Every structure is written in C-alpha cells, then in structure tokens.
Amino acid sequence: MLADKYMPVNLDEPGARLHNLEPPVFTFDACMDESFCDQLRDQSTATNRLKASQIGEQQVGQGAASERRTSSTLLVEPQLLASHPELTGTVGALHARIREILPGGAWDKTGYLPGPGRFCFESAQVCRYTEGQHFLSHEDAFPADIAERNQFQRRATFLVYLNDVPEGGGTHFDHIGITIQPRKGRAMMFFPGMADGTNDPRTLHTAQPAVGTYTKWITQQWVAWGLPPMSARIVDQGLVESEDFEQRVLGKKKKGGKRKDQVVRKQQSAARGFG
C-alpha cells in the first residue's frame, strides 16, 4: 500500500515507528547521531545566513515573511555550498540516510527540477525556533493546479530534530490529532503529496512553539517528484476521461472538442534550480 499510494519505505529500519496509518506518519529514533546534529547546528550558525523564514505558497522561489511562520531558516542551496563546502558532507550524510529509508525509484540531481516520474531532493533547510516562535497550520505539498504549473509535487517530508525540546515545540498534525515531540537525532517522515500528484490535506500540521527559554533546531528535507504528462497519470489511476480528472482535481471546467489527454507536456531542455 505504501509503495502504491505514497513511496516505498524500509520498514526494517531500526527505531522505526508508525504513529498513524492513513495518512502515514513515521518516526525513526536515533536516525542521525548526536555528532551530526551538533555539526549541522554549528555549521549553519557559522554561515551567518539564518534569515526570517518565508512562506511561498504559489510558486517555487517566491516567498514572503509572515506572522504565520516566525522562525529563522537557512536554505542550503548550491550557492551556499560553494562558499561553505563543509556543509556538503553533512547534508550528504542526511541524504544517504533518507535513501536507505526510501529505497528505489529513479533520482535526479539535488536542487533542480526532476524529470517526469523521477525524484530528487530539494535544497535542504535548517530552521531555528526561539522562544514563542512557530509555524501555524500549513501543508507542505502544493495544490494540484500549482503543482502542474511548477511541474513537480512534494512527495515526502523528512524532518530531523537537532536537539531535545523538553516542553513544547512539537509537530502537531491538526486533522489526525497526534504530536511528535522533538528528540535529538529523531527523524519524522510523512507524505504531503500522493502518487497521483495531488496533495493530501490530511497532512495539515503545525510547528508548535517551544515553551520557556528552549530553542528548537530542525533540518527539513523535501523529496520532490517530477510530474509525468497528465495522460500518463490518468492511465495509472484508471481514469478514462482526462477532462474528468481536470474537473475533479484541478477545478477546471469541461470543454468541448479536443481531449486534454492528447496534449503532451513539452519537456524543458535544461533543468532549472528550484531550491
């Protein structure tokens, strides 16, 4: 079921725990060791590039500060790695662990638009939440029409807590009523987008504020999936009329004449960054 609806998961991974089945929410205790957590925090701080977190809901690469998200974020994009190469090995270790937990699939270069039906890592983020800071209810995946425009969907969120937070600071899933508490080295994973390219609104979640003087550090890694031509996804989902799909998923009105599934998306000749 996981592979068909979401992504294949290595359920034999030590420390794996399934907190909720539909939608799936996993944790992996001691996924990353303490030295990794300390190193990534220290390296991120040393860049002096932690900035006010932004929210970009409509298009990749566009965002704005918002009271809904009050943390600070470091985007580990290729330009940053060029000036701070010490981060390359640290982020590489994270990616290697994720690939062990999410085996299979065809993968493209990190930080660039993946080809149709292929996965890649978006540029990693390191986030710091000081006293009272939060990220109010949000989804990580794009609505279907925006995913079509961006040509990819976020299929997995993999988050590692880089320190212990004794009180507050949890990741709370609004609709399913569970909260994951930060523990140093613990990873939390869920699937904001589904195998048909649509978002899963059940994954709506909140980054709760830490209580008192505690600070929360996390690193967040999204797994992107290049959207195949719509006709291919319609066949995979057993839908006969693409116009039915567009009306149901994209909110478009039916039109007479030419069938939408006869239109093949033009492939880009070069990848573009989308970290």
Side-chain angles (χ1 to χ4, degrees), residues 120-160:
C120 82
F121 294 116
E122 294 187 45
S123 296
Q125 295 185 16
V126 178
C127 299
R128 180 186 64 199
Y129 294 81
T130 58
E131 181 179 358
Q133 292 185 331
H134 57 255
F135 191 175
L136 300 182
S137 299
H138 63 283
E139 293 183 49
D140 288 349
F142 299 107
D145 58 334
I146 297 173
E148 290 288 339
R149 185 188 314 155
N150 292 334
Q151 302 179 54
F152 78 96
Q153 182 59 282
R154 288 172 175 158
R155 290 281 298 274
T157 294
F158 196 93
L159 184 151
V160 178

Side-chain angles (χ1 to χ4, degrees), residues 62-267:
Q62 296 182 357
S66 170
E67 288 301 314
R68 292 180 52 226
R69 188 185 188 190
T70 56
S71 58
S72 298
T73 297
L74 176 70
L75 181 63
V76 189
E77 56 189 344
Q79 295 90 332
L80 180 73
L81 293 174
S83 58
H84 295 273
E86 66 278 5
L87 279 163
T88 301
T90 310
V91 173
L94 173 64
H95 289 173
R97 287 294 289 123
I98 297 174
R99 289 291 302 273
E100 291 173 353
I101 292 170
L102 295 174
W107 290 70
D108 283 342
K109 184 178 180 180
T110 296
Y112 291 85
L113 183 70
R118 299 176 66 89
F119 296 102
C120 82
F121 294 116
E122 294 187 45
S123 296
Q125 295 185 16
V126 178
C127 299
R128 180 186 64 199
Y129 294 81
T130 58
E131 181 179 358
Q133 292 185 331
H134 57 255
F135 191 175
L136 300 182
S137 299
H138 63 283
E139 293 183 49
D140 288 349
F142 299 107
D145 58 334
I146 297 173
E148 290 288 339
R149 185 188 314 155
N150 292 334
Q151 302 179 54
F152 78 96
Q153 182 59 282
R154 288 172 175 158
R155 290 281 298 274
T157 294
F158 196 93
L159 184 151
V160 178
Y161 300 103
L162 301 179
N163 67 315
D164 293 324
V165 181
E167 189 175 1
T171 304
H172 178 73
F173 288 85
D174 300 33
H175 293 315
I176 58 180
I178 65 171
T179 302
I180 306 300
Q181 190 64 25
R183 180 180 296 174
K184 191 174 185 178
R186 169 182 284 172
M188 186 265 293
M189 182 179 72
F190 62 95
F191 304 101
M194 305 181 75
D196 63 359
T198 59
N199 59 304
D200 189 345
R202 300 173 300 174
T203 62
L204 186 78
H205 60 288
T206 299
Q208 298 175 327
V211 175
T213 60
Y214 296 113
T215 296
K216 180 176 75 171
W217 285 85
I218 66 166
T219 183
Q220 178 173 277
Q221 181 61 72
W222 284 313
V223 176
W225 180 67
L227 289 179
M230 186 178 293
S231 56
R233 280 176 282 144
I234 291 163
V235 171
D236 289 342
Q237 296 300 313
L239 301 176
V240 177
E241 293 288 344
S242 62
E243 291 179 353
D244 292 340
F245 177 87
E246 289 194 342
Q247 185 179 43
R248 178 175 61 85
V249 177
L250 303 184
K252 295 180 179 179
K253 294 181 180 181
K254 286 191 175 183
K255 299 178 181 179
K258 190 175 181 180
R259 284 173 53 101
K260 298 291 183 179
D261 58 358
Q262 294 172 345
V263 179
V264 178
R265 186 184 71 177
K266 181 179 180 181
Q267 301 302 313

